Amino acid sequence: MTVDIHVEFRVSDAVKAVKRGDAIVIIDVLRCSSTIITALANGASEIVPAPTIGKAKQLKKRHPNYILAGERKGLMPQGFELGNSPREFTREKINGRSIILTTTNGTKAFEIAKDAKPVLVGSFLNAGAVGKALYEGANKNNRGISLIACGRATRLSIEDFICAGKILEMMPTDELTLSDGAHAALFASKGAGEKVAELVCSSEHGRYLKSIGLIKDIEFCSRINRYTDVPLFAKGKIRTGKFSKL
Ligand code: MLT
């Protein structure tokens, strides 16, 4: 059996993956995906992604107990309780709570992918677990896989691109049919080798986060396989997924 693998480079290209009927992985290393993975690993009961601040505030009105979190230009919007730094989502703050999350780019990808199945969340933090879940799920269901490297402001981001390659490195790629984009991501990830953290730090988005005092987020988001959870987005909510249900 062959599994077709695509890597897309912008949020808007998730539309193509939805049309193909692929399993989708949303990758926004800095920082939406990393925040979602960390929050769930630290006991959040679910994350509700919202594409806009207005939508997030409406949800908060309906669910006053949910934590309102997110960023614009990297910083917490006025009236929010948490920003989008994965380091803020500690067990003490969020254990058992539901979170509404709106970010500049990443949460828009969920809106586009809402009718796809399955939709997973990947970053360096859980690359190994995502690779394993994808391969097992795709084999069972005979569907293609699209890794959406969300990028930044409609442009490619090297950290998301390399992360897509890192997830591919965790899969038996000789059994898969890679698009040229997927081949390129795999080459980039292998080329990055041990220098992932350095590359994330020197990326455009990394440099921006550094300029607003968030260098520790870059270090946090560059760690590979810190978690084994695979968040799954379904019916408007992201929860920790079970491999068998993909
Ligand atoms: C986004 O979704 O655009 C990012 O997560 C932005 C960030 O928080 O750095």
Side-chain angles (χ1 to χ4, degrees):
M1 194 205 74
T2 59
V3 176
D4 288 327
I5 312 264
H6 292 266
V7 173
E8 304 293 352
F9 312 118
R10 299 173 305 182
V11 163
S12 54
D13 290 334
V15 172
K16 298 184 206 163
V18 175
K19 276 198 190 136
R20 285 192 293 266
D22 286 354
I24 289 178
V25 184
I26 293 178
I27 302 168
D28 187 352
V29 168
L30 296 176
R31 297 162 295 169
C32 180
S33 296
S34 302
T35 294
I36 291 168
I37 293 158
T38 304
L40 288 169
N42 282 337
S45 67
E46 62 194 14
I47 317 273
V48 186
T52 63
I53 290 189
K55 189 82 206 295
K57 286 188 170 167
Q58 268 174 25
L59 284 164
K60 174 74 179 173
K61 261 198 192 141
R62 230 183 295 149
H63 305 283
N65 296 336
Y66 289 17
I67 296 174
L68 182 58
E71 62 68 41
R72 285 299 178 271
K73 297 191 175 153
L75 302 170
M76 184 173 83
Q78 221 177 6
F80 277 45
E81 296 153 275
L82 289 178
N84 186 35
S85 163
R87 293 176 301 121
E88 291 177 85
F89 291 73
T90 58
R91 194 164 281 280
E92 296 70 45
K93 278 192 201 144
I94 49 118
N95 202 12
R97 306 266 315 266
S98 298
I99 296 164
I100 301 159
L101 182 69
T102 180
T103 69
T104 309
N105 209 27
T107 53
K108 293 187 175 69
F110 292 96
E111 180 69 14
I112 296 174
K114 63 178 187 276
D115 296 323
K117 211 173 151 203
V119 179
L120 313 183
V121 183
S123 80
F124 288 117
L125 297 174
N126 69 349
V130 170
K132 182 171 184 287
L134 274 179
Y135 185 66
E136 287 173 1
N139 259 333
K140 243 184 261 162
N141 301 318
N142 199 19
R143 60 161 71 88
I145 293 170
S146 283
L147 306 177
I148 313 298
C150 287
R152 185 165 178 245
T154 77
R155 281 146 46 101
L156 180 140
S157 284
I158 191 152
E159 68 279 8
D160 296 339
F161 186 59
I162 288 178
C163 182
K166 183 57 74 185
I167 291 170
L168 292 175
E169 274 195 72
M170 308 287 177
M171 301 168 77
T173 40
D174 46 346
E175 292 174 32
L176 309 170
T177 306
L178 302 189
S179 67
D180 285 0
H183 264 299
L186 189 59
F187 265 114
S189 167
K190 286 182 177 165
E194 300 299 307
K195 292 198 170 152
V196 166
E198 234 172 89
L199 272 164
V200 178
C201 200
S202 62
S203 67
E204 291 174 24
H205 198 161
R207 293 200 305 266
Y208 176 70
L209 290 175
K210 208 154 72 175
S211 78
I212 57 171
L214 293 170
I215 189 165
K216 287 203 169 133
D217 280 3
I218 306 168
E219 289 158 11
F220 187 99
C221 296
S222 304
R223 279 188 56 181
I224 296 167
N225 293 339
R226 181 181 183 131
Y227 300 119
T228 53
D229 306 304
V230 180
L232 186 63
F233 173 62
K235 298 186 183 147
K237 292 175 174 179
I238 307 166
R239 296 195 171 102
T240 296
K242 297 273 171 283
F243 291 171
S244 57
K245 297 220 178 106
L246 293 183

